[in-house]
Structures are given as structure tokens and as C-alpha cells.
Amino acid sequence: MKKVIRKAIFPVAGLGTRFLPATKASPKEMLPIVDKPLIQYAVEEAVGAGIDVMVFITGRSKRAIPDHFDKAYEVETELANRGKIETLKIVQNIVPPHVTCVYIRQAEALGLGHAVSCAKAVIGDEPFAVLLADDLIDDGEKGCLSQMVRIFEDWQCSLLGVEKIDPAETESYGIVRATQITDRLGKIGEIVEKPKPEAAPSNLAVVGRYILTPTIFDKLDRLSKGAGGEIQLTDAIAQLLQEEPVLAYEFYGKRYDCGSKLGYLIATVEQGLKHPELRNEFKSYLKQLVIE
Ligand code: UTP
């Protein structure tokens, strides 16, 4: 029987040091792009891909995330009293009623691989998705994960979202070597975490979208610390692909690296220019700013 992806992990326990002091007491994933926090974009993408169990790996200073996906009695009562029904609906419908949110604390930020392994008991023996909310991907349709789920339906194996990057930037990513299967799909032969440009097997970088089989948990359990002294998901994937096929998928859409200040600013400007309420005024403002 064909397997389906029903659960997604959102690792949100990182320290977000590139955004200090903004992330001293509040999570990076709650930074808004225009009027929605990054984590909400990621959850909406997962809902669009048919996922109904959202597993958040949280840490200290992350309480705003469960609060965001919970009922907000005070605000809701106040909006209802003031007759602000449209805004009330927005606040009440952050996640559809059929979606379950699960929160797991990662006591120490030991790395992305460790964060994923914290979800083992909740995921069980099923394939699952991992979304990193600081990679915001806009494909103008249902989202990058929907594209990946469609491919998983046919191939039934692990699949990583990849993008061609500037070869000078390989040290910021997991980099794969893949043998081409179709235009956008390849079978991964090698994956390396943050290689120097001269040692990188290609310029195909893994970005924050993964579909993984549960075999990854056995690999993570046996892993010792890798690059940066962290338990790296990339190292577990390197072991996984010795046993099972792992595919690289070059998704359609634009990715914004909202974990970096520049990427965050670019996302804010570009999404502002698409926002139905703001786009005209904001565009005029930007034009004027450039002329001056
Ligand atoms: P990053 O490498 O972006 O690290 O983590 P970070 O801590 O969030 O940010 P900087 O680099 O210090 O500014 C990639 C993803 O993995 C999660 C992060 O929350 C982010 O979504 N993560 C990382 C964890 O959940 N736990 C960890 O121990 C490490």
C-alpha cells in the first residue's frame, strides 16, 4: 500500500543568533513578513500539502509559538465586542480545525538532527516532512511541500528540496551530488554539510524542506557531533542514502533565506509588493525612494 505524508516537524528551537537582539526573548520564527509570522507561512504550506499533525520542536523563549496557534480569548472577545468580524476570523482560523499541534521541548540546542530526533515517538513508523520556517518559499500556488508530496506519491522514498546556489556560498548549506533522473529530480550519491567551495561536490544546496522515511531516526540515534559541534541532519542523511534511495528535487518557486537579515528584508519588500492591502501605496513609496 502506498504511504502518505500526514505529519510534519517544525524545528524551532534554534537560538537565532544572527537576529540578536530581536531573538533574545522571542523566537526568530515569530518574526513577521508583513503581517504573518514566518512559522505561520510554513504551517500553511504544510496544511496545503495535506498534513494534519504539526510537531513543533521548541525550546526556551519559544512560548509565543504555541500561543500563536492557540485560542486567544482576550483578543477574540475584544474583536467580537467591537464588531471587527473580519479580523476575528483571521485570528480564529490560523489553523483549520482538523489540524493537531504537538509541542516537544528540545532541552538544549544540540543541532537540527537532534531536534528532528526529539519527534521520534510522535512520528512513529511513518514517512514525514520537515519544514524550516526561516526558509520562506513562494511558488505562487499551493507551496513547495505540495510539489514534494506529489513526487513522494510516485517514488515512496526520502526527498530533499534543493536549489542551485552561488558556488561561493557552499559553506552555508548541505550540498549534494545527484545523478539526474528527470529535469528537476536526481538521485543523491553524496551529501556534505557546509563544504568549502573547492571541496563541494556541486552547487546544489539543500534548503529547508525534507521528506524523510523513519529509518532516519536509527541513523540519528547513532550519530555523534558533526560540523559546528552539532548533531547534523545532513550526516544522518549521508548514512541513510547508503541504505535507501534519497532524491533531490529542484522545486519551483522563490526561496527567501529569512534566517539572514538581508534575506529577511528582501522577503519583506517582495511580499509587501504582493500584499493586496499595501502593494499600490508601497510600490509608489519605493519608486519615490529610488528617484530621490
Ligand atoms: P539555524 O542553523 O538557522 O540556526 O537552524 P538558528 O539557531 O535558528 O539561527 P542562527 O544561525 O543562530 O542565527 C536551522 C533550523 O534548525 C532549528 C532552528 O530553529 C532552525 O529552524 N534548530 C537548530 C533547532 O530546532 N534546534 C537546534 O538545536 C538547532
Side-chain angles (χ1 to χ4, degrees):
M1 209 176 69
K2 283 204 165 180
K3 297 206 161 99
V4 290
I5 310 293
R6 285 190 46 242
K7 297 177 182 168
I9 303 178
F10 300 85
V12 292
L15 300 176
T17 53
R18 284 171 289 170
F19 268 94
L20 284 168
T23 47
K24 186 178 172 203
S26 53
K28 170 173 77 173
E29 297 77 11
M30 285 301 291
L31 290 172
I33 300 295
V34 189
D35 51 8
K36 256 195 300 192
L38 283 167
I39 190 67
Q40 191 178 335
Y41 285 93
V43 167
E44 286 176 359
E45 185 181 325
V47 171
I51 283 163
D52 49 25
V53 180
M54 313 290 168
V55 185
F56 300 87
I57 310 300
T58 74
R60 268 183 294 282
S61 330
K62 302 283 177 169
R63 283 185 49 187
I65 294 175
D67 285 350
H68 184 72
F69 292 104
D70 199 359
K71 210 168 164 53
Y73 287 102
E74 281 177 2
V75 175
E76 289 180 30
T77 311
E78 205 52 44
L79 289 170
N81 288 344
R82 292 187 200 172
K84 297 200 164 177
I85 303 307
E86 283 312 308
T87 317
L88 178 62
K89 279 190 201 152
I90 292 172
V91 173
Q92 286 178 329
N93 297 326
I94 288 194
V95 277
H98 70 275
V99 166
T100 305
C101 294
V102 179
Y103 300 94
I104 297 172
R105 283 281 280 247
Q106 184 191 19
E108 271 183 279
L110 297 177
L112 177 59
H114 180 258
V116 169
S117 73
C118 292
K120 184 178 173 180
V122 175
I123 300 292
D125 195 24
E126 292 179 39
F128 60 96
V130 178
L131 293 95
L132 305 186
D134 50 7
D135 273 331
L136 174 65
I137 301 176
D138 182 1
D139 73 345
E141 290 185 32
K142 279 179 86 180
C144 173
L145 193 64
S146 290
Q147 299 174 37
M148 290 174 65
V149 163
R150 278 200 295 277
I151 291 174
F152 177 82
E153 282 165 6
D154 291 339
W155 291 83
Q156 297 283 300
C157 65
S158 297
L159 176 69
L160 315 183
V162 298
E163 174 179 280
K164 287 199 181 93
I165 55 149
D166 177 343
E169 291 176 1
T170 56
E171 279 179 275
S172 303
Y173 296 90
I175 304 289
V176 302
R177 176 176 53 76
T179 319
Q180 203 167 358
I181 300 173
T182 61
D183 193 19
R184 288 182 176 263
L185 199 63
K187 182 167 184 285
I188 301 179
E190 186 186 359
I191 183 167
V192 196
E193 183 65 13
K194 301 188 170 71
K196 291 199 181 307
E198 58 276 16
S202 77
N203 68 334
L204 266 189
V206 180
V207 302
R209 297 295 180 277
Y210 308 74
I211 289 180
L212 296 166
T213 64
T215 318
I216 197 77
F217 292 119
D218 303 335
K219 308 297 170 205
L220 284 167
D221 280 350
R222 295 200 196 109
L223 217 56
S224 39
K225 288 178 181 170
E230 295 191 336
I231 307 282
Q232 296 287 355
L233 183 59
T234 303
D235 295 345
I237 295 171
Q239 292 184 16
L240 183 69
L241 59 85
Q242 307 297 325
E243 253 172 58
E244 295 180 1
V246 180
L247 305 181
Y249 171 60
E250 247 185 283
F251 54 84
Y252 293 94
K254 173 144 192 194
R255 177 185 69 101
Y256 301 95
D257 174 12
C258 297
S260 79
K261 287 174 202 164
L262 182 61
Y264 178 77
L265 282 177
I266 293 171
T268 302
V269 170
E270 292 195 10
Q271 295 300 311
L273 285 169
K274 287 186 176 183
H275 195 282
E277 262 172 49
L278 299 172
R279 61 182 164 221
N280 294 336
E281 261 183 276
F282 188 44
K283 194 172 180 177
S284 315
Y285 163 73
L286 286 180
K287 273 187 183 158
Q288 210 181 328
L289 189 72
V290 172
I291 293 165
E292 275 169 3

